[in-house]
Amino acid sequence: MQLSTAPTVGRWRRGNPDSQGLLGVLSVCATLLQLCAGCPSECVCNSLEANCSGRSLVFVPALTSLPEGTHTLLLANNRLSSLPVSAFANLSTLETLDLSNNYLDNLPSRLFRELSNLSDLSLRNNSLTVLDRELFRGLTLLRRLDLSLNGLAAVPLGLLDELQGLTWLSLAGNRLHALERATFEPLVNLQHLELGMNPWECDCNLRDFKHWMEWLIYRGGYVDAVECTLPKDLRGRDIRGVPVEMFNYCLQLEDENGGGAGSTKSGSPPCFRGTATPSSDGAVVRTPAELPDCVKQRYRPVSVRRAIGTVVIAGVVCGIVCIMMVAAATYGCIYASLMAKYQRELKKRQPLMGDAEAEADPEEKHISSVA
């Protein structure tokens, strides 16, 4: 039996071209079958990417069947209006997620909580009007976030707290009137910020955020044009070019409204952090929405432009003082030299005056004797 099979095995090993081609075809077919078996019918998949774009999808396909190790998921240009809270479960290897050009108007809290390796998220051109402050929890590796062309009227405090590695952010083309500085302070690595095409109201509510933008630009970051729509005298102007002195009246308004220490602001209760109702275990519990403004505020460094102006003014004043001191010293030296010269001449004249008095004494004695 061994003698009869040996020649066959030898011929197989010598490399029959037909057999090698058949093996290659079978290998490719096996790979394709494996990918197709793990790819939703609405998508096109390869080893790293699942492309479900432009399929007119109304519901998210079964993503649990994606090939293992998928890094990119494209769901753009569909008709998605909502997403289930478990839509992206068990996709921890995902690094790029594109949900742009859909009809999403409400996203559940912590929708992306299991995407721990996500670095690029696009929600561009949807119908988002409100974002839950817990939406981006767990996305500690996110580097790029696109929220442009939506209907956002505000960015809630705490939304960006865990995105400390974020370097690129777009909020362009929304309905933003003002932003809180404290919302953006956690973004210590941000380098690019887009805020254009928003109806900005350049009043006291935007003053602190203006200072934060100046700080971002000062450390090398980029911020696009932030054009004012209100008030009328600032319409069309970039707030970055508006002098900070134009916001000095905000401090006066705060004082008039009782914004000083120990007073209330706009009728709100005093800022006592310990007045929240304790829970059953004795801990004080209060949601961020219930916190007064004075608790939400964080340390706010001085405006860069104001600091430069202060340095320039201080330099001018010091220069004037130095010039005055030099002038005073020069005047003192001249006055001292003139007085010294006067004293020397006075001393020279004193002996001559003494001789004249001596010559006058005999004549006075003779006259007195005759009398």
Side-chain angles (χ1 to χ4, degrees):
M1 180 66 66
Q2 294 178 354
L3 293 174
S4 61
T5 58
T8 304
V9 174
R11 288 195 298 270
W12 188 274
R13 289 179 179 177
R14 280 195 296 270
N16 189 345
D18 295 337
S19 62
Q20 289 182 350
L22 180 60
L23 286 175
V25 171
L26 291 176
S27 176
V28 171
C29 291
T31 302
L32 292 175
L33 288 174
Q34 183 179 4
L35 291 174
C36 293
C39 185
S41 59
E42 302 90 345
C43 308
V44 177
C45 304
N46 57 35
S47 58
L48 296 177
E49 180 181 285
N51 190 349
C52 309
S53 299
R55 305 286 177 169
S56 298
L57 299 177
V58 179
F59 301 100
V60 177
L63 301 178
T64 54
S65 60
L66 287 177
E68 185 178 355
T70 299
H71 289 174
T72 302
L73 175 59
L74 306 178
L75 287 166
N77 303 313
N78 285 294
R79 299 180 180 178
L80 302 174
S81 59
S82 62
L83 296 173
V85 67
S86 59
F88 305 109
N90 302 319
L91 295 178
S92 59
T93 60
L94 210 60
E95 297 179 0
T96 301
L97 176 59
D98 189 353
L99 291 165
S100 61
N101 301 323
N102 280 283
Y103 300 98
L104 299 172
D105 59 356
N106 189 19
L107 298 178
S109 176
R110 299 193 179 187
L111 173 65
F112 311 107
R113 65 188 182 279
E114 296 190 27
L115 305 181
S116 56
N117 289 309
L118 195 67
S119 61
D120 190 337
L121 175 60
S122 178
L123 292 166
R124 175 185 173 86
N125 195 19
N126 279 279
S127 302
L128 299 172
T129 57
V130 178
L131 296 178
D132 190 282
R133 65 184 305 271
E134 304 286 337
L135 180 62
F136 301 132
R137 287 297 173 92
L139 302 183
T140 56
L141 298 181
L142 195 66
R143 297 292 180 267
R144 182 184 176 95
L145 176 60
D146 193 346
L147 293 169
S148 61
L149 300 179
N150 282 280
L152 299 175
V155 179
L157 185 67
L159 177 71
L160 309 174
D161 279 1
E162 293 192 9
L163 307 185
Q164 298 182 5
L166 198 68
T167 60
W168 193 97
L169 173 63
S170 178
L171 290 166
N174 283 280
R175 300 177 182 175
L176 298 170
H177 299 276
L179 292 172
E180 290 191 42
R181 174 178 183 157
T183 304
F184 292 82
E185 284 184 340
L187 305 180
V188 294
N189 291 305
L190 191 66
Q191 294 296 323
H192 185 100
L193 179 61
E194 296 183 357
L195 297 171
M197 297 183 294
N198 280 286
W200 299 109
E201 296 181 3
C202 300
D203 55 12
C204 296
N205 294 325
L206 202 58
R207 178 192 58 176
D208 294 337
F209 185 74
K210 168 183 166 61
H211 293 169
W212 181 84
M213 283 193 300
E214 292 175 346
W215 170 79
L216 176 62
I217 296 172
Y218 177 76
R219 63 182 180 87
Y222 168 81
V223 181
D224 65 346
V226 182
E227 293 187 357
C228 305
T229 57
L230 291 176
K232 292 182 179 180
D233 56 343
L234 294 178
R235 181 173 298 171
R237 292 187 59 180
D238 191 339
I239 192 175
R240 296 173 302 175
V242 177
V244 71
E245 289 76 17
M246 295 189 67
F247 294 93
N248 288 340
Y249 74 96
C250 299
L251 301 175
Q252 299 176 0
L253 291 178
E254 291 177 359
D255 294 338
E256 293 175 359
N257 294 332
S263 63
T264 60
K265 182 178 180 180
S266 301
S268 60
C271 186
F272 298 116
R273 301 192 181 193
T275 57
T277 304
S279 60
S280 57
D281 57 357
V284 175
V285 178
R286 175 175 278 182
T287 62
E290 298 173 344
L291 291 175
D293 292 337
C294 50
V295 177
K296 295 179 183 178
Q297 291 178 355
R298 304 182 184 180
Y299 173 73
R300 299 177 293 187
V302 180
S303 168
V304 175
R305 183 180 289 110
R306 182 180 296 177
I308 295 175
T310 303
V311 171
V312 172
I313 294 173
V316 172
V317 172
C318 290
I320 294 174
V321 172
C322 292
I323 293 173
M324 293 177 63
M325 292 178 64
V326 171
T330 304
Y331 175 79
C333 293
I334 296 173
Y335 179 80
S337 63
L338 292 175
M339 290 299 297
K341 183 178 180 180
Y342 173 76
Q343 292 293 333
R344 287 196 298 270
E345 293 179 356
L346 185 61
K347 289 181 179 179
K348 290 179 180 179
R349 293 178 180 178
Q350 284 180 355
L352 296 177
M353 294 175 63
D355 295 340
E357 292 175 358
E359 292 176 357
D361 286 342
E363 294 180 359
E364 293 177 357
K365 290 180 181 179
H366 177 69
I367 293 171
S368 60
S369 62
V370 172

